[in-house]
Amino acid sequence: MNPNEFRQKVAKKEFTGPTAGYCKGYVQANMLVIPKQYAKSFEEFAKQNSKAIPVLEVVEDSYYTKVLADKANLLNELPSYNIFEDGKFVKSVNSIEDYYTDDLVFFLVGCSFTFETSLLEADIELRHVSQKKNVAMYDTNIKLNKVDIFDGEMVVSMRPIKKERVADSCIVTSHFPRMHGSPIHVGYPEMIGIKDITTPDYGDSIEIQDDEIPVFWPCGVTPENVLKKIKIPFAITHSPGHMFISDRKDNEFYE
Amino acid sequence: MNPNEFRQKVAKKEFTGPTAGYCKGYVQANMLVIPKQYAKSFEEFAKQNSKAIPVLEVVEDSYYTKVLADKANLLNELPSYNIFEDGKFVKSVNSIEDYYTDDLVFFLVGCSFTFETSLLEADIELRHVSQKKNVAMYDTNIKLNKVDIFDGEMVVSMRPIKKERVADSCIVTSHFPRMHGSPIHVGYPEMIGIKDITTPDYGDSIEIQDDEIPVFWPCGVTPENVLKKIKIPFAITHSPGHMFISDRKDNEFYE
């Protein structure tokens, strides 16, 4: 299935699950939708925290993409959306057509799923992919750089990596700086404020075997964590793991 | 001091210490000297274990270098040598002129000191350098690929790295594949058979601070460990940390 076909299935709600492992080789993106009055500050905040929030496209006065896909409809071509009011999660929905006003700005943000193809090609096993689970994600105590009202801590995704492949996993992912790039932390979850590695804050729990090291990458769910903290009146995000699949190929972002 | 001046000081025994931090920017090499009958097997063994034993130059029927320096005298231009008989360490000496016969073959092997300049240039602190100590080295349970009589486990060097720079340290060192390259292990010493990180098997004990991760690279002391195991009648190595400083620049080995 190519990305356009996949998105059409999603638009018809024939697919509503997490997107890891689908449309292999194509860029997947996180999404954040906020009222116009916050957009400029958020854009600067993203720039100041580009490892966690690498913006790939901004869509304003429209809900159709131009850069990541030719006219993808952002209101219904993601499998699941989270609605936030005053920083509180209200509900998950499969379409945001009912919520759209022309006051909303869409940010599409690079996602670590993109470099997973390269990890797999380097024979680095990804358990959440082979088990068709959502990647494990965690809140951390890693401080973001504050800009205006935007402030908070980084969310990370975790992949258990065989101990002799940890350096390779750093090197492979470093070639995708606009998709979070290299790990932000390796081993020792407690050093970044993760108390219980078996209980992720988002996504699924993934087993770490005896000969594996937990490796942590900055995660595009970070804005969701920020929204909770700063309590802006209204915002929408993709649901964790339920990404926008673009028409752009992963290797276009290899640097 | 340029490498030639440094080596002349060494030849006069005006310098007999570890070489870390000296002649910054120039390649330092490990050395192994064995009887001719073992040389072919060892060369193949090194090829099969090139992360631990990356051979840079072989000197035969002579004791003068050609590749790494123009006519450096390998009998007295290293600060310290270890003599082995039947796999047992006999003593350290500052010159091996009394031991030379034309039956001996010299192997010069890449050393992780070479990439330390790049780590420092990337603002990654190296405590053993700032404290003018020898790097900490450990025997491990990482099996080498056996060739003929040559067999054993890898020796590693350890550097404590600030947690947010671990991925960078993997990336920087990966550009020097002929100098051991990227780490063989990150964090959790016990996973590679190191029982007490505070007691290195070679070199000095180096403090690991709370916000640091122990990162392990393959080490050119590995052949010494192999010699102990296979018990060939006679061999000479550099003393750990007391390297051959060549005329070749580190950046010539950047790939």
Side-chain angles (χ1 to χ4, degrees):
Chain A
M1 216 171 358
N2 71 36
N4 186 49
E5 288 164 355
F6 181 84
R7 290 196 306 267
Q8 293 322 307
K9 247 176 113 88
V10 169
K12 288 185 229 152
K13 302 308 149 202
E14 292 168 11
F15 183 93
T16 54
T19 52
Y22 287 92
C23 296
K24 237 172 118 171
Y26 287 93
V27 166
Q28 303 203 10
N30 303 281
M31 191 172 76
L32 175 72
V33 189
I34 52 176
K36 211 167 261 185
Q37 66 181 111
Y38 304 107
K40 275 279 155 270
S41 292
F42 179 76
E43 204 165 348
E44 183 57 29
F45 178 66
K47 263 187 206 148
Q48 297 292 326
N49 297 283
S50 63
K51 250 185 108 66
I53 318 173
V55 173
L56 301 176
E57 182 173 4
V58 183
V59 176
E60 211 172 336
D61 300 320
S62 162
Y63 46 84
Y64 286 106
T65 58
K66 282 182 186 163
V67 178
L68 290 184
D70 184 25
K71 283 196 188 167
N73 182 345
L74 293 173
L75 303 184
N76 63 22
E77 294 189 20
L78 282 76
S80 182
Y81 303 81
N82 282 359
I83 308 297
F84 287 85
E85 285 174 14
D86 299 321
K88 279 201 184 108
F89 168 74
V90 179
K91 61 174 166 179
S92 291
V93 293
N94 296 127
S95 150
I96 52 170
E97 284 154 329
D98 294 345
Y99 294 88
Y100 180 70
T101 72
D102 61 8
D103 183 52
L104 292 175
V105 181
F106 299 75
F107 291 88
L108 292 162
V109 174
C111 167
S112 53
F113 289 173
T114 302
F115 58 55
E116 292 188 341
T117 307
S118 287
L119 288 170
L120 292 168
E121 280 168 1
D123 281 325
I124 295 172
E125 190 205 336
L126 297 174
R127 186 154 303 121
H128 70 283
V129 174
S130 56
Q131 296 187 345
K132 292 204 189 270
K133 287 185 177 175
N134 200 343
V135 71
M137 295 165 272
Y138 302 84
D139 292 327
T140 72
N141 62 12
I142 302 169
K143 290 253 171 280
L144 298 168
N145 299 311
K146 188 178 188 302
V147 172
D148 291 342
I149 58 163
F150 290 96
D151 195 15
E153 287 84 35
M154 193 182 292
V155 176
V156 296
S157 60
M158 186 282 289
R159 291 161 186 79
I161 305 286
K162 294 273 173 239
K163 64 184 194 304
E164 58 276 10
R165 302 306 307 276
V166 168
D168 291 338
S169 76
C170 294
I171 294 158
V172 167
T173 56
S174 75
H175 290 294
F176 294 92
R178 295 187 69 195
M179 302 295 165
H180 304 301
S182 58
I184 191 78
H185 187 63
V186 178
Y188 307 96
E190 64 282 7
M191 284 177 76
I192 53 170
I194 298 170
K195 290 197 181 76
D196 180 6
I197 195 73
T198 65
T199 313
D201 297 295
Y202 319 85
D204 293 321
S205 182
I206 303 292
E207 180 202 9
I208 302 169
Q209 295 175 352
D210 285 348
D211 61 346
E212 292 174 340
I213 309 276
V215 180
F216 301 92
W217 280 267
C219 177
V221 176
T222 299
E224 182 173 328
N225 197 40
V226 169
L227 289 181
K228 284 183 195 161
K229 179 158 183 166
I230 65 172
K231 301 184 173 55
I232 61 175
F234 182 74
I236 305 171
T237 69
H238 69 289
S239 300
H242 298 67
M243 320 302 289
F244 174 71
I245 300 194
S246 80
D247 291 342
R248 301 284 301 273
K249 293 217 160 185
D250 293 336
N251 57 23
E252 295 178 55
F253 291 87
Y254 184 96
E255 288 180 25
Chain B
M1 215 172 354
N2 72 36
N4 186 48
E5 288 165 353
F6 181 83
R7 289 196 306 268
Q8 292 323 306
K9 248 175 113 89
V10 168
K12 288 184 228 153
K13 301 310 148 199
E14 292 168 11
F15 182 94
T16 55
T19 52
Y22 287 91
C23 297
K24 238 173 119 170
Y26 287 93
V27 166
Q28 302 203 10
N30 303 280
M31 191 172 77
L32 175 72
V33 190
I34 52 175
K36 210 168 262 183
Q37 67 182 110
Y38 304 108
K40 275 279 156 273
S41 293
F42 179 76
E43 204 164 348
E44 183 58 28
F45 178 67
K47 262 187 206 147
Q48 298 291 326
N49 297 282
S50 63
K51 250 185 108 66
I53 317 174
V55 173
L56 302 176
E57 182 172 3
V58 183
V59 176
E60 212 172 336
D61 300 321
S62 162
Y63 47 84
Y64 288 106
T65 59
K66 283 182 186 162
V67 178
L68 290 184
D70 183 27
K71 283 196 189 166
N73 182 345
L74 293 173
L75 303 184
N76 64 22
E77 295 189 20
L78 281 75
S80 182
Y81 303 81
N82 282 359
I83 308 296
F84 287 85
E85 284 174 15
D86 299 321
K88 279 202 185 107
F89 168 73
V90 178
K91 62 175 166 178
S92 291
V93 294
N94 296 126
S95 150
I96 52 170
E97 283 153 330
D98 294 345
Y99 295 88
Y100 180 71
T101 72
D102 61 8
D103 184 52
L104 291 175
V105 181
F106 300 74
F107 291 88
L108 292 161
V109 174
C111 166
S112 54
F113 289 172
T114 302
F115 58 55
E116 293 188 340
T117 307
S118 288
L119 288 170
L120 291 168
E121 279 168 2
D123 280 325
I124 295 173
E125 191 205 336
L126 296 174
R127 186 154 303 121
H128 70 283
V129 174
S130 56
Q131 297 186 345
K132 292 205 187 266
K133 287 185 176 173
N134 200 342
V135 72
M137 294 165 273
Y138 304 83
D139 292 328
T140 73
N141 61 12
I142 302 169
K143 290 253 171 278
L144 298 168
N145 299 311
K146 188 176 186 303
V147 173
D148 292 340
I149 58 162
F150 290 96
D151 194 15
E153 287 84 35
M154 193 182 293
V155 176
V156 296
S157 60
M158 185 282 289
R159 291 162 187 78
I161 305 286
K162 294 274 173 236
K163 63 184 195 302
E164 59 276 11
R165 302 305 307 277
V166 167
D168 291 338
S169 76
C170 294
I171 295 157
V172 167
T173 56
S174 76
H175 289 294
F176 294 93
R178 296 188 68 195
M179 302 295 166
H180 303 302
S182 58
I184 190 78
H185 186 63
V186 177
Y188 307 96
E190 64 281 7
M191 284 177 77
I192 54 171
I194 298 171
K195 289 196 183 76
D196 179 6
I197 194 72
T198 65
T199 312
D201 298 295
Y202 319 84
D204 294 321
S205 180
I206 303 291
E207 180 203 8
I208 302 168
Q209 296 176 350
D210 286 349
D211 60 346
E212 292 173 341
I213 308 276
V215 180
F216 301 92
W217 280 266
C219 177
V221 176
T222 300
E224 183 175 327
N225 197 41
V226 169
L227 289 181
K228 283 182 196 161
K229 179 159 184 165
I230 66 172
K231 300 184 175 55
I232 62 173
F234 182 74
I236 304 170
T237 70
H238 70 290
S239 299
H242 299 68
M243 319 301 289
F244 174 71
I245 301 193
S246 81
D247 291 341
R248 300 285 300 273
K249 292 216 162 188
D250 293 336
N251 57 24
E252 294 178 55
F253 290 86
Y254 184 97
E255 288 178 26

